[in-house]
Amino acid sequence: MANVLLSEAEKTYILHGIQKGYRNDGRTNRDYRPMELETDVVVHAMGSARLRLANTDILVAIKADIDVPSPDRPKEGKIEFFVDCSANATPDFEGRGGEELATEISNTLSKAYLSQQAFDLSPLCILAKHQCWKLYADILILECGGNLFDAVSLAVKAALYNTKLPRVSSAELDGGAMDIILTDDPYDCERLTIQTVPLLVTVCKIGDHCVVDPSAEEEECSTISVVIGVSYKSDGSGDITSIRTSGDGSFHADTLTKSLELGVSAGAYLDKALMEALRSDEEKNTKPLGEKEIFGFLK
């Protein structure tokens, strides 16, 4: 996380505001800051997305290779996460300062995606025990303005929604061996089912209260935070897939329960808004050329 220098007076101002249910940017304790989302931004990737949450800027590109399924999951594909913290994102990332955070984010994502209920990898299997798709999610943190875990998970889910894999067919060779054939048609592709792909929701404890989507200043005032991986179904219900705490403080059992409830409920609205935005963006991009909305100097 980016370290922000705050005076004791500034910390007291933030703390007292949260105690009264108001934050220094006017939000309530369960509100997210405005976001900007753009998909299909990396030409040579299978799918991509760029998300800006206030001053936090994340770019995600999805690439895919054909690999061998894991022995313990012979009928499933694979997914790996790679995080790179740009030195321009914050002075804390200069040198090797961002490596520890990058590992932390990638490990948290991997644990959240581990459950089959969170992300079903079986459609990525091509030939059981022999060949499968392996997805690589390359995540670049361009700017750090607080709440990295949530922003990264939103960008990854958007990039997976945008991902298109070439359609694969199999052919039997002499001797009974199987060979796979990738289509040459760039429009003959398959989409991923990402409805239940988990989001990470960070809940920060500041004083005796908990808030979602902490800014960099609020993170500096927090004694402990919990990052919750939540997988949402089409009916809006959520299943917790992972829990990770950080900080020197501690949660009372009742406070931890309330923070988990806050994270699940806030994330449900966030997931719904994300899916609606992705579908709306896709509809606009699939319109005929004469019906597309044109902005800027092209108008």
Side-chain angles (χ1 to χ4, degrees), residues 48-99:
S48 58
R50 182 174 182 177
L51 182 131
R52 189 170 182 87
L53 171 61
N55 292 331
T56 296
D57 198 356
I58 309 294
L59 177 65
V60 177
I62 306 293
K63 296 181 180 179
D65 282 332
I66 293 178
D67 199 2
V68 179
S70 300
D72 56 334
R73 294 191 172 189
K75 297 182 180 180
E76 295 182 10
K78 302 176 181 178
I79 184 170
E80 287 189 7
F81 303 95
F82 299 92
V83 182
D84 184 17
C85 300
S86 169
N88 296 321
T90 171
D92 299 333
F93 292 167
E94 291 182 1
R96 302 182 64 179
E99 290 186 5

Side-chain angles (χ1 to χ4, degrees), residues 17-269:
I18 289 175
Q19 287 177 342
K20 295 180 180 180
Y22 295 99
R23 297 155 84 171
N24 60 347
D25 52 11
R27 292 182 290 153
T28 66
N29 293 354
R30 60 186 307 115
D31 289 339
Y32 273 78
R33 293 166 291 177
M35 302 182 201
E36 296 177 5
L37 176 65
E38 185 180 4
T39 58
D40 209 15
V41 293
V42 180
V43 175
H44 299 293
M46 300 289 191
S48 58
R50 182 174 182 177
L51 182 131
R52 189 170 182 87
L53 171 61
N55 292 331
T56 296
D57 198 356
I58 309 294
L59 177 65
V60 177
I62 306 293
K63 296 181 180 179
D65 282 332
I66 293 178
D67 199 2
V68 179
S70 300
D72 56 334
R73 294 191 172 189
K75 297 182 180 180
E76 295 182 10
K78 302 176 181 178
I79 184 170
E80 287 189 7
F81 303 95
F82 299 92
V83 182
D84 184 17
C85 300
S86 169
N88 296 321
T90 171
D92 299 333
F93 292 167
E94 291 182 1
R96 302 182 64 179
E99 290 186 5
E100 183 177 343
L101 177 60
T103 302
E104 198 174 342
I105 293 174
S106 61
N107 288 343
T108 303
L109 282 169
S110 297
K111 290 178 181 177
Y113 276 69
L114 190 60
S115 169
Q116 190 174 23
Q117 295 179 343
F119 186 36
D120 186 9
L121 294 171
S122 57
L124 296 178
C125 181
I126 300 172
L127 291 174
K129 300 182 181 181
H130 296 287
Q131 291 174 320
C132 69
W133 284 111
K134 183 176 183 178
L135 303 180
Y136 299 89
D138 294 325
I139 303 159
L140 177 60
I141 299 175
L142 298 169
E143 190 173 354
C144 181
N147 202 15
L148 281 179
F149 286 89
D150 298 30
V152 165
S153 71
L154 285 163
V156 169
K157 186 163 186 174
L160 289 173
Y161 180 89
N162 182 243
T163 298
K164 302 176 182 67
L165 296 176
R167 195 174 300 278
V168 179
S169 57
S170 59
E172 186 173 351
L173 302 177
D174 294 339
M178 299 296 292
D179 188 23
I180 62 170
I181 303 171
L182 296 180
T183 179
D184 294 330
D185 185 353
Y187 296 100
D188 186 17
C189 55
E190 297 178 334
R191 304 288 296 272
L192 302 176
T193 302
I194 59 99
Q195 174 63 54
T196 58
V197 166
L199 294 180
L200 300 179
V201 182
T202 302
V203 180
C204 267
K205 180 186 177 187
I206 302 177
D208 296 326
H209 294 73
C210 294
V211 301
V212 298
D213 185 24
S215 64
E217 292 78 12
E218 289 171 340
E219 287 179 344
E220 191 68 19
C221 299
S222 174
T223 55
I224 188 171
S225 64
V226 57
V227 179
I228 311 161
V230 192
S231 172
Y232 295 96
K233 301 182 178 67
S234 56
D235 60 2
S237 61
D239 295 324
I240 295 178
T241 62
S242 65
I243 299 175
R244 171 193 165 277
T245 60
S246 64
D248 300 327
S250 61
F251 278 108
H252 187 275
D254 292 340
T255 307
L256 179 59
T257 300
K258 290 179 180 178
S259 67
L260 295 178
E261 292 174 351
L262 172 61
V264 172
S265 62
Y269 290 104

